[in-house]
């Protein structure tokens, strides 16, 4: 149960560019929200 508690208390991920909360899982390697990632593709 300790592992489960660890993941429940992780801070929410924030976008490096705009500071918005990223709705991705904490284990993800994304550091930008979808909107900011789209800016780089243009």
């Amino acid at each position: 149960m300790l592992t489960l508690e660890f993941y429940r208390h992780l801070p929410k991920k924030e976008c490096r560019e705009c500071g918005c909360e990223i709705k991705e899982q904490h284990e993800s390697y994304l550091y930008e929200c979808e909107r900011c990632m789209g800016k780089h593709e243009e």
Side-chain angles (χ1 to χ4, degrees):
M1 283 294 205
L2 292 175
T3 304
L4 197 57
E5 286 298 313
F6 171 78
Y7 286 109
R8 285 186 184 154
H9 297 291
L10 284 174
K12 296 183 187 252
K13 289 181 73 173
E14 292 183 354
C15 176
R16 287 184 178 174
E17 292 286 321
C18 67
C20 290
E21 179 183 336
I22 298 176
K23 302 284 185 193
E24 194 65 41
Q25 294 181 355
H26 293 288
E27 300 87 8
S28 171
Y29 293 106
L30 293 176
Y31 294 105
E32 294 179 348
C33 66
E34 289 183 19
R35 184 181 61 167
C36 290
M37 283 192 303
K39 289 180 188 176
H40 298 296
E41 293 175 3
E42 293 176 356

